[in-house]
Amino acid sequence: MNTVSRLKGALTAAAFGAGILAAGPAAQAEDLKFLTSWNENYQGTVGMALEYKKLVEEASGGSVQMPISGPDVIPPFEQLQPVQAGVFDVLYTHGAYHAGTTTMLIGMDTVDPDPASRRDAGLWDAIDAHYQTLGMKVLALPTSGGVHTICRDNLPASGDFQGFKVRGTPPVHPMIEAMGGTPVVLPPAEIYSSLEKGVIDCATWPMLGAVGFKWFEVTKTFVRPATGSVTHLIAMNLDKWNSLSAETQALLLDQGKVLEDRVRAIFTDWENEEEARLLKEGMTETQLDDANAAKLVQAHADGYWTIAGKRDTDKASALREMAKQANLIGQ
């Protein structure tokens, strides 16, 4: 059984075991066109986008369907606008993928990933209110483990990324630079060939993904510690949202909350399994020394909040303060 099939099976078994797929309130018949930033090679797509689709379709008794299109239809960095325009109804992505429009959400990758704590602190509602000003309604903020770096060669004697070209989205560029590397922006589909050909030396990515993309075939080591968390976004075109019945709206939000809770319960196990698989495939773990590890962690946090404040300075600052007051983030 391949990885995707195994993960789908695990999700289904866990969901039924927890009793969370019982039918919810009656929902009007809807086909919601669902656009995702990654295909099924990324386990986050399986555990978040495909799982949300399944939860919604089953909870609605099949009256709500969510046909999925991926990055082969619309490139991942260009997906927000088609959903804002109503060409698609729902989007699964990460805030860094539409940083040209808004940056507020990016800082959440430094915040404790516990979904209940985030909601209690008002963070979820603040993000939802902001995205509604952009014509989008937040349905879920499923959050996986942190970001790590995988490299085609061992680190230099300096113990950092000195002289390395490192692929990363803009929020991690300050971290890459603080570690002596040169940031490179590449879409996910180009990472394998770029590592293989030496166009880049390393790539930053969530802790889940290297196995699905088979990057272990062209890399030697992964770096620890991993940093932060990865807050994904599932959001709907606001006009479409407003056209739905109250029952369908409640169903979509309820299943979004179910998804957030389940993601935190299962992704830690998946991340541990992924690390074990990388080691089995011949990769090694590179543990940074204390000084470089501290530099990495601090630069990661500073970089994310710096980017978060680029376009939405006041809102990002308020969000960070809310997280601090709830003890969900360091000072």
Side-chain angles (χ1 to χ4, degrees):
M1 180 180 294
N2 63 32
T3 299
V4 170
S5 298
R6 180 176 60 80
L7 295 179
K8 287 180 177 177
L11 283 165
T12 301
F16 278 104
I20 63 172
L21 295 182
Q28 67 194 73
E30 292 285 349
D31 277 343
L32 303 177
K33 299 183 293 295
F34 196 176
L35 182 63
T36 69
S37 290
W38 308 275
N39 59 28
E40 293 184 25
N41 285 342
Y42 176 42
Q43 288 159 292
T45 301
V46 176
M48 297 178 187
L50 296 186
E51 181 65 5
Y52 184 64
K53 166 184 166 70
K54 181 171 63 179
L55 287 169
V56 167
E57 291 178 352
E58 295 193 13
S60 69
S63 63
V64 178
Q65 294 291 312
M66 302 185 76
I68 285 186
S69 300
D72 54 322
V73 177
I74 304 290
F77 296 117
E78 301 173 13
Q79 292 182 339
L80 181 64
Q81 192 277 333
V83 182
Q84 289 175 307
V87 178
F88 293 88
D89 301 310
V90 181
L91 175 64
Y92 166 66
T93 191
H94 184 271
Y97 281 44
H98 50 265
T101 299
T102 181
T103 53
M104 179 209 193
L105 181 59
I106 290 171
M108 289 297 291
D109 282 9
T110 72
V111 176
D112 187 304
D114 179 65
S117 298
R118 289 174 164 211
R119 287 176 178 265
D120 290 345
L123 299 171
W124 200 102
D125 288 338
I127 293 166
D128 179 38
H130 173 63
Y131 271 84
Q132 289 195 42
T133 69
L134 304 175
M136 301 287 289
K137 166 65 182 175
V138 174
L139 302 177
L141 298 171
T143 303
S144 61
V147 169
H148 70 161
T149 305
I150 60 172
C151 298
R152 65 194 305 268
D153 291 304
N154 294 325
L155 298 187
S158 55
D160 55 15
F161 303 152
Q162 191 68 44
F164 279 7
K165 301 181 293 295
V166 184
R167 181 270 178 191
T169 53
V172 298
H173 288 184
M175 181 187 77
I176 294 169
E177 291 169 341
M179 297 297 290
T182 300
V184 177
V185 176
L186 287 173
E190 296 180 21
I191 294 175
Y192 185 104
S193 61
S194 296
L195 285 166
E196 183 179 35
K197 297 173 183 177
V199 175
I200 57 174
D201 301 290
C202 306
T204 60
W205 192 261
M207 291 175 68
L208 285 174
V211 169
F213 289 112
K214 297 186 177 180
W215 293 334
F216 57 79
E217 295 179 346
V218 291
T219 56
K220 288 184 178 179
T221 190
F222 56 88
V223 179
R224 292 290 180 268
T227 52
S229 59
V230 185
T231 298
H232 299 72
L233 171 69
I234 299 179
M236 171 178 275
N237 173 279
L238 186 59
D239 289 338
K240 183 65 176 180
W241 168 261
N242 288 332
S243 76
L244 300 177
S245 68
E247 291 80 11
T248 301
Q249 289 179 346
L251 184 148
L252 292 171
L253 289 177
D254 287 347
Q255 298 311 310
K257 186 174 183 298
V258 167
L259 179 72
E260 291 177 355
D261 291 339
R262 292 209 57 247
V263 164
R264 291 311 313 140
I266 199 168
F267 266 63
T268 297
D269 289 340
W270 286 3
E271 289 152 10
N272 290 337
E273 290 175 10
E274 172 125 343
E275 182 173 302
R277 173 68 185 281
L278 295 179
L279 292 170
K280 183 179 179 181
E281 293 292 343
M283 294 188 69
T284 60
E285 175 183 336
T286 296
Q287 180 65 48
L288 298 179
D289 60 41
D290 290 346
N292 277 315
K295 183 167 62 175
L296 180 82
V297 171
Q298 187 62 53
H300 176 273
D302 291 345
Y304 270 69
W305 283 109
T306 297
I307 294 292
K310 287 288 187 182
R311 292 184 177 276
D312 310 295
T313 306
D314 292 342
K315 290 181 179 180
S317 179
L319 195 71
R320 188 176 192 178
E321 187 59 32
M322 291 170 68
K324 285 182 179 180
Q325 291 300 318
N327 294 316
L328 298 178
I329 190 174
Q331 299 299 310

